[in-house]
Amino acid sequence: GDGTAGGGWSTAGGGGGGDWASGNGSSWNPSTSGQGWGWQNGYSSSGGSSSSGWGKSKGKGKSKEKGPRPPFVPFSEKKWIKSDGKEIDLHKEIMSLESAHDLIEIVGEFVCEFAVFHASAALHRLAKCQDHAEVKKDERLRWLASKATRELVKYDKQKKPQTISKIVWSVAKLDLGMHKLVARVCEEALLKLPEFEPQQLVNMMWGFATMRTDDRPMLDTVAGQFSGRVAELGHLGLSNLAWSVAKLSVRNRWLVDELSGECLAHIQDMNGQNIANCSWAFAVLRVAAVPLFDAVAKKMTAHAGEYAQQNLTNTAWAFAKVQLKRPEMMAAISAGLRERAADMPAQGLANAVWAFATLNIRDNALMEVVRGQLLPRMGRFQLQNVMNSTWAFAKLSCADAELMGQFGDEISRRIAGLAGGDLTMAAWAFATAEHNDQRVMDTLSWEIMKKLPDMIYQDLSNVVWAYAKLGINNHELFDAISFEVIKKISEFEPQNLAITAWAYASANLPKQRLFEALAEESQKKINRFDPQCCANLLHAFGKLTLANEKLVEAVGAQVVKSVDRFKTLELCNVAWGIAKMMLPASETMEAVAQAFIAKVQDMNPQDLSRTSWSFATARIKQEKLMDEISWEVMAKIDLFGNQDLSNTAWAFAKLGVSNAMMMGAIGKRMRTMVRDLIPQDLANTAWAFATLGLPDSDLMDELLAEVIAKINDFATQNLSNTAWAFAKLGLWNERLMETIAHAAVRKIRSFDAQGLANLKWSYAVLGFTSAKLSDAVLGAALDKIDAQEFGIQELANVAWSFDVTGDATRLRTFLQAAIPRFVAVDGFSDAAACTDLANIAQLHGARAAGSEKLEAEFRSRFCRPLVAALQQCADGADGRELTVAVEALEEVVKRIGLTNFGFFFVREAMSELGFKVASQGEAPPAWAKEARAMAREHMEEWRIPGTENILVVVSYEVWYQGKSLSKELTLVPSSFAEGVHDEVKAMLRPVDARGWSCESYSERVALLELLEAAREEFGDECVPELSGWVRLYHSHHTSVTGIGIFCQFRRLVPGVKIEIEFDSAWYTWAGEPRQFTALSDKEESLFYYS
């Protein structure tokens, strides 16, 4: 959308007349002869003169003399007799005539007798006549030009610069196309150049420009004569010289500098045409002479109403070309053009709106006036003007459906005449105006494919951009263009590389060869990539998840170097693209994070949301950035849309950044817009609050109702995430889980392994059973195991879910496939999954293939090393101090990664460590019955196991030097043991594989309180000498942390024996079997809920 150059329809005139004209002749090439008479043609002469032939001549070449030569008559004595017998003063007659017709008659009678001054004067006068175009085809005019040249070259001894410049200027002005003739005159001019006056040189340059001379050495020689003499020119000469220099592309820096300075000095003397000429010239030369253009703007603003529309349009075009935006001047030009719009030619209208569009100045009044002219006259416009006008309307977002519809009709009607660039501009205009006429776009695509080989790289990138912008996924067109792009990839500029990548990404077409070529070429030109190109390129590769490590490294380095120049949206796209590709780019992301921190107060809600989402997806936890974002979210919470809130909450949860204040604000805001949330946002919001452990009950109630209403639109991942979220928060709702179950059964084959496992886990946690859902999950899981799509953790979670709900039949069926698969993929690397499956296999799947290996690997990899470390901590057989033994235990625990032995193996481990515990299947001791009752009374109902819901019932009796201290069964919940001194707390150090503090575990609190009571009763030194027993009932089987506490206690107090009993809180409510809610397998209509 570059517009037509200002000189295309209005060009500057030269010395004699000063009028603008367009030179339509062919290029001046000395090897190409002009048509008509050559400069050597001879003529017969009756009067005779020193400058004319006297005999007859046939054709070209020298004439042959016949008879004696006529006597010479001086011109001062010569009588000029017309055919009617009237004697005239020839020179005076020539200079007085103003009609080209009258002049050509004189030429016809006397041309053969003309001397050089007669011929050059007549030629010059003809060129200045208003009606010279009417005699342009008269052969006598060409005779005159040939005569003037012949007389100058052959007989004129003085060869005055004025005569030479007149001939060149006149031949150019008359558009005779006699290039060889002018070339011969120029040979003479080069010999006399030092004698030329500056204005005569200007006339020569104007002639060369009008005739499109391409003799570069000669042009440079003539231009060189202006050195130090430009100041001698008046404002008209400066204007014409500027126009000529621009037309001829003479880019001598010294000349351009002198010209700009002198034009600035004479700006007040210039009229509208002069100003337009100068502006146009410097724009064509791409010289943004700001002082000159500012002076032009000032004068144009003051006098725009006095200037012709052509001058206004060309000046606007010039400012647009050099990208100098002067709103006051453009407003004045707009006012002037609106008054003259009805009389403006098509190209004038097109260039005017093109200039405003290029400068991104939307003048609604002007656009409305031009639209009024464009719609009724579009069919009569040249196609290029139609294209430029529509492009401008599209760029300024002024193109309505009526205008674009008519444009589409014109394109379809005249499409055969469109070149590749025109087709590109048309597609671009439709895309920018967001006008998708399928018929027109199909027609365009067919024509584009025909002309693809002729299209340049810019056309290719803009075409795919246009079709991608309109959402037209024309595979045939995109395929054809991809091959052309690969062939011409070396020509692509950074912007085109980025645009092309963006377009194919938007169309979701991951053409491997194309993107490899784009990546390779981008790396070569990476130093020329600006922020927008970097952002678009990374965004495109990220959107298609085409991970290209070398590209990310190259673009990342460019981002780091120029990160201060990136706009917020560009930073967002960089972070988002890298995050989607899941490639390491820590240095780049850190630089982007710092840039975000500096701009965070200027970021809008979408920017804040996308930024947090990107860093979360990339799993980069930048504490300072997330903190700054959280404050901005709270400050701008009322401006957030539902999706931005949902994504922000998801991001903070994904990174594990728990900001209760921000999440509270998000929850409060989202309660008012839950009805607008799409299924994915509903699921993500619930997931986020659940992951952070923030049960906003009011929000979850709103989400629950909306999930039920929109359940049919939920994707499988949304279903599993929603179920998981409510389970994680322990929010029990039968209607919700029944609705999700029915929807999941319908889509069960679309679930991935993680989705199936999370779904089944959620129902087990909340205590819901559904035979229909269980059958569906089992069938889908077995199919995915056969297809080798089930991961280690998913195998363990599904098995655990069947086990917890007491679904022994389906569990055994599942284990027959799950255990061999687990062993085959060497699932022993996941300590938690291996623990669950090994314990379940011991209870239910001993006959499954691979069970023996599973048990053997679990014992050798986890149980034995950990029991050995615990034993060293408990008895100190190796002689190490307790603190050293605990540190060694911590190292082993973190290396192995085990958090508990599991319900089955924990009894074996405790027994091996010397603690008294009933064997698996053995009846618990009598005291445990009372302890269980106390625990049930305290909990009131079954609760999801967690630190706050797992408790200990303890009793003990200890002796010291004949004194005793005892406690009946007492319930001890988790706490921080506020009544215990710090030095006592330091005696029992909790150790956990996850790095958690675990200081509030109820078993630790119970033993700390015992030690505190004993020290208070018997003295601080009593601990090693204590004897007796401790009984602990644990409502959930003890973790590795708890066993470590027991071992440390035994090391400190070896004389006190520990007896332990426990249940698994997932299976029982302190010994009573857990109750489950069976969901109805009959699906009800959801119409009521919607």
Side-chain angles (χ1 to χ4, degrees), residues 630-851:
S630 67
W631 286 108
E632 286 303 309
V633 170
M634 288 187 282
K636 299 170 181 174
I637 194 72
D638 292 334
L639 303 177
F640 271 72
N642 47 50
Q643 188 173 14
D644 295 330
L645 288 172
S646 174
N647 286 346
T648 302
W650 177 90
F652 274 76
K654 186 74 173 177
L655 290 173
V657 179
S658 183
N659 186 310
M661 285 179 61
M662 183 198 73
M663 294 299 290
I666 288 177
K668 184 178 179 181
R669 172 70 174 160
M670 289 198 77
R671 290 199 292 272
T672 66
M673 53 178 63
V674 165
R675 290 181 180 274
D676 299 325
L677 292 177
I678 61 174
Q680 184 174 354
D681 294 337
L682 288 167
N684 284 354
T685 302
W687 181 91
F689 277 83
T691 300
L692 293 174
L694 299 171
D696 186 323
S697 56
D698 292 336
L699 173 62
M700 298 307 287
D701 284 345
E702 294 288 341
L703 291 174
L704 180 153
E706 205 62 26
V707 168
I708 294 174
K710 296 174 179 175
I711 197 68
N712 287 329
D713 298 325
F714 271 58
T716 55
Q717 185 179 6
N718 305 146
L719 291 170
S720 61
N721 282 353
T722 303
W724 181 91
F726 278 81
K728 186 75 166 57
L729 291 173
L731 299 176
W732 193 96
N733 186 282
E734 183 176 352
R735 175 62 66 188
L736 171 69
M737 299 308 288
E738 191 172 280
T739 303
I740 292 176
H742 294 317
V745 169
R746 290 196 301 271
K747 302 176 180 179
I748 200 68
R749 297 296 171 185
S750 301
F751 277 81
D752 61 11
Q754 185 178 3
L756 286 172
N758 285 351
L759 186 71
K760 193 72 180 86
W761 179 89
S762 304
Y763 281 79
V765 167
L766 291 174
F768 290 107
T769 61
S770 167
K772 190 175 180 180
L773 177 63
S774 294
D775 285 339
V777 170
L778 177 61
L782 293 176
D783 288 344
K784 291 190 180 297
I785 291 173
D786 288 341
Q788 299 184 356
E789 297 176 6
F790 239 65
I792 299 167
Q793 190 173 0
E794 287 76 31
L795 290 168
N797 282 351
V798 173
W800 180 89
S801 302
F802 282 124
D803 179 37
V804 165
T805 54
D807 195 344
T809 303
R810 292 187 182 89
L811 174 60
R812 283 191 289 269
T813 303
F814 179 74
L815 290 177
Q816 295 300 315
I819 293 176
R821 173 64 181 163
F822 189 89
V823 172
V825 298
D826 195 20
F828 312 108
S829 59
D830 188 324
C834 190
T835 300
D836 285 341
L837 204 58
N839 278 271
I840 292 170
Q842 287 298 310
L843 294 171
H844 303 282
R847 296 182 181 178
S851 296

Side-chain angles (χ1 to χ4, degrees), residues 1057-1089:
K1057 305 302 179 185
I1058 300 177
E1059 183 179 0
I1060 302 169
E1061 185 54 44
F1062 56 83
D1063 290 299
S1064 174
W1066 287 114
Y1067 301 95
T1068 70
W1069 169 39
E1072 289 288 327
R1074 180 183 169 193
Q1075 301 299 308
F1076 293 91
T1077 301
L1079 300 175
S1080 171
D1081 290 333
K1082 182 180 178 182
E1083 188 169 356
E1084 298 180 12
S1085 170
L1086 295 178
F1087 176 77
Y1088 170 80
Y1089 300 103

Side-chain angles (χ1 to χ4, degrees), residues 81-87:
I81 309 297
K82 294 178 66 175
S83 57
D84 60 2
K86 182 180 178 182
E87 182 178 349

Side-chain angles (χ1 to χ4, degrees), residues 597-620:
I597 291 170
K599 299 173 184 284
V600 71
Q601 292 185 349
D602 301 323
M603 292 168 70
N604 60 36
Q606 188 176 8
D607 295 335
L608 294 166
S609 169
R610 290 190 67 192
T611 301
S612 54
W613 183 95
S614 299
F615 278 80
T617 303
R619 293 175 173 79
I620 296 175

Side-chain angles (χ1 to χ4, degrees), residues 938-939 943-951 973-975 1000-1001:
H938 176 80
M939 289 189 291
R943 301 175 188 274
I944 294 175
T947 302
E948 67 282 359
N949 297 325
I950 297 174
L951 45 82
S974 62
S975 71
S1000 63
Y1001 277 19

Side-chain angles (χ1 to χ4, degrees), residues 1020-1048:
D1020 293 349
E1021 306 301 324
C1022 72
V1023 172
E1025 304 299 326
L1026 290 174
S1027 61
W1029 53 266
V1030 178
R1031 291 170 180 165
L1032 290 115
Y1033 166 76
H1034 215 217
S1035 65
H1036 189 58
H1037 57 269
T1038 307
S1039 65
V1040 169
T1041 301
I1043 298 174
I1045 295 295
F1046 296 156
C1047 291
Q1048 292 176 61

